[in-house]
Amino acid sequence: MAHDKILILDFGSPSAQLLARCVRAQQVYCELHPADVSADFIRSFGARGVILCSGTDEAEDEALQVAPAVFELGVPLLAIGEGLRALVGHHGGEASFQPGSGQAVVQMRARGHSRLFADIEDRRNATGHGLFDVCADLSSHIAQLPVGFNPIGTGEGEQLLAIANESLQHYGLAFHPELDATPQGNAIIARFVRDICACRGDWTMDAIIADAVARIQAAVGSDEVILGLSGGVDSSVAAALIHRAIGDQLTCVFVDHGLLRLNEGKMVLDMFADRLHACVVHVDASAQFLDALAGVDDPEAKRKIIGREFVEVFQAEAKRRVQAKWLAQGTIYPDVIESGAGRKGKVIKSHHNVGGLPETLGLQLLEPLRELFKDEVRQLGVALGLPHEMVYRHPFPGPGLGVRILGAIRREYADLLRQADAIFIDELRAAGWYDQVSQAFAVFLPVKSVGVSAGARTYDYVVSLRAVQTIDFMTAHWAELPYSLLGKVSQRIIEEVDGISRVVYDISGKPPATIEWE
């Protein structure tokens, strides 16, 4: 690509993706790679600047080593945490590592009139020095400044929190600008990538669409493409983008496994077949899936069965498209990162967007979203004309309601849960809470509870409501919804869904609980 680029080298930081998203928020393209990539890769990347991420806060027997070439590129460099220690060591200074020290918000005083901090501050002290609140990395300690470097930020007791060699444009931070606990962090990142690195900020939605369309057309030519359309955000945006590029050469296969949300199939068909005029094959395989799941109550077993049946159904449809040469998937950048080499070359998790399909079908793989983070995918969807309410829907698991029905799955359970879930979401939207929570849904509990309806005793099922607020989905806090809202949802579900007699609210955080129940 012709965009200005920032290369981010990661020593294993849990916030590395967040840092990359902060760079992308400045409309600057960046890529995230392990710190131990080769010197040849570093030289050939074409970066206008380099950021060395932090590492973990634990001792490592075999810490990643960054190639010296990164300090010799002649481009600006910003080093954080473990990256800071690598920077200090390369330039002849001394830095120590104190594992398990953690992080803390401290006050930093700017000094030395650095370009990195110029005109950026939280407040000023009595002598006119700029002050910052920063999330300090307590595991990093600079014992001796490298030659040519000066302090540009100090904490209590003159602790070195930021250093710079302005002639080299190399900067080191013992704090995390990517975290919310550093209020001026985004301004510091913007200063580095837009001003110091002189990146043009050309990573815009118009440019992303133009690039993607051109690359899809060049790769596919006159071939046909098939795509497994789940109705989720990633596959929907991928379908809209590919359809923009090649039109009727794309066939979307929408498999209804009987575990979708209320009216989801109709919404997908209305959008892609009616509004975008894309070719959509709707396969109602609900009976096949539910028969295969009968009597199975183990969550992992249910997932494997759903995945296996999906592959079987999709393969049968794909074989009917004998002219298809490409399989399109909604793989996004976090999937790529998590499937690749992480800390010390270990795989974080294997990613199979549609498990097993590329190998068994013998099709070439088309992944037009693989350079985008989730927030960029949502922005792209809106730019392509998909409705905001579709693109910004809460996450929905691949197995669908199969992991929101505890224990064995029955069609009756799925029908009851669909209705209860739709009422919960409707009331969240009406009360203005839907966009204030990160994920909300109902869970079906296969237990019965006594109730009263029209003066008569009932003995029906229980559902639990779940709503959480989170930034990264690694941790989450249960949403403190108003009692009046919860009461209205409960009343509607019990009155309108024949078969449910009791509603409860899940107030478990993550950890120790997970967001989904199974």
Side-chain angles (χ1 to χ4, degrees), residues 264-282:
E264 187 143 28
K266 182 179 184 302
M267 180 194 69
V268 171
L269 294 174
D270 286 348
M271 171 52 57
F272 288 94
D274 297 343
R275 287 182 56 177
L276 297 183
H277 306 294
C279 177
V280 181
V281 177
H282 181 203

Side-chain angles (χ1 to χ4, degrees), residues 152-466:
I152 60 171
T154 56
E156 184 178 354
E158 297 302 305
Q159 174 192 9
L160 290 174
L161 293 174
I163 62 174
N165 182 319
E166 297 286 357
S167 62
L168 293 177
Q169 298 185 96
H170 285 190
Y171 303 89
L173 305 179
F175 65 88
H176 293 275
E178 74 275 15
L179 299 182
D180 288 342
T182 302
Q184 296 299 328
N186 284 329
I188 293 169
I189 292 170
R191 172 63 51 76
F192 179 73
V193 300
R194 294 298 297 270
D195 297 339
I196 295 174
C197 297
C199 291
R200 293 170 292 175
D202 54 2
W203 184 247
T204 64
M205 279 302 125
D206 287 345
I208 290 170
I209 292 172
D211 281 349
V213 166
R215 283 189 286 172
I216 292 168
Q217 291 172 340
V220 171
S222 59
D223 294 342
E224 292 186 13
V225 178
I226 57 173
L227 179 145
L229 184 61
S230 69
V233 174
D234 300 337
S235 67
S236 296
V237 175
L241 179 58
I242 296 169
H243 185 260
R244 170 76 65 92
I246 61 173
D248 292 342
Q249 293 169 243
L250 171 68
T251 297
C252 299
V253 179
F254 177 63
V255 178
D256 183 350
H257 49 34
L259 299 168
L260 299 173
R261 290 169 284 198
L262 189 67
N263 298 324
E264 187 143 28
K266 182 179 184 302
M267 180 194 69
V268 171
L269 294 174
D270 286 348
M271 171 52 57
F272 288 94
D274 297 343
R275 287 182 56 177
L276 297 183
H277 306 294
C279 177
V280 181
V281 177
H282 181 203
V283 182
D284 183 356
S286 57
Q288 175 179 335
F289 278 83
L290 293 174
D291 286 347
L293 288 164
V296 179
D297 57 10
D298 179 74
E300 287 304 311
K302 290 193 291 185
R303 285 188 176 89
K304 289 178 181 178
I305 290 170
I306 292 169
R308 182 194 69 206
E309 296 300 316
F310 181 87
V311 169
E312 182 177 312
V313 172
F314 191 90
Q315 282 180 317
E317 291 300 321
K319 287 177 181 177
R320 295 188 175 95
R321 272 84 195 157
V322 294
Q323 301 302 317
K325 299 294 188 293
W326 295 83
L327 171 69
Q329 295 186 165
T331 307
I332 64 176
Y333 196 38
D335 300 329
V336 176
I337 295 169
E338 291 170 358
S339 296
R343 182 77 171 165
K344 294 191 292 187
K346 295 179 181 178
V347 171
I348 299 170
K349 73 173 181 180
S350 296
H351 168 70
H352 301 285
N353 202 289
V354 183
L357 289 177
E359 294 83 0
T360 56
L361 288 175
L363 300 174
Q364 298 181 76
L365 198 57
L366 183 65
E367 298 175 313
L369 308 180
R370 63 180 288 114
E371 295 161 346
L372 304 181
F373 286 103
K374 190 75 169 189
D375 54 336
E376 294 173 312
V377 172
R378 294 187 192 278
Q379 294 170 40
L380 178 60
V382 172
L384 289 167
L386 297 179
H388 183 278
E389 60 272 17
M390 179 184 189
V391 173
Y392 282 88
R393 285 190 305 166
H394 293 169
F396 188 60
L401 301 182
V403 291
R404 293 178 180 174
I405 297 172
L406 301 195
I409 298 170
R410 291 164 49 182
R411 187 180 292 274
E412 172 196 3
Y413 296 169
D415 290 340
L416 291 173
L417 179 56
R418 254 188 286 273
Q419 297 175 68
D421 185 76
I423 290 171
F424 186 27
I425 298 303
D426 284 348
E427 291 299 332
L428 285 174
R429 290 190 185 279
W433 268 93
Y434 185 81
D435 291 328
Q436 295 185 56
V437 299
S438 307
Q439 193 169 3
F441 52 91
V443 178
F444 182 86
L445 310 183
V447 295
K448 288 191 172 184
S449 171
V450 174
V452 177
S453 177
R457 178 184 184 275
T458 62
Y459 190 55
D460 290 320
Y461 292 105
V462 180
V463 295
S464 174
L465 307 179
R466 178 77 159 142

Side-chain angles (χ1 to χ4, degrees), residues 104-110 122-126 129-136 153-161 175 181 183:
V105 177
V106 302
Q107 180 174 270
M108 181 183 76
R109 171 191 154 186
D122 286 317
R123 56 193 173 276
R124 290 194 174 190
N125 63 14
H129 292 99
L131 300 177
F132 297 77
D133 293 325
V134 299
C135 184
T154 56
E156 184 178 354
E158 297 302 305
Q159 174 192 9
L160 290 174
L161 293 174
F175 65 88

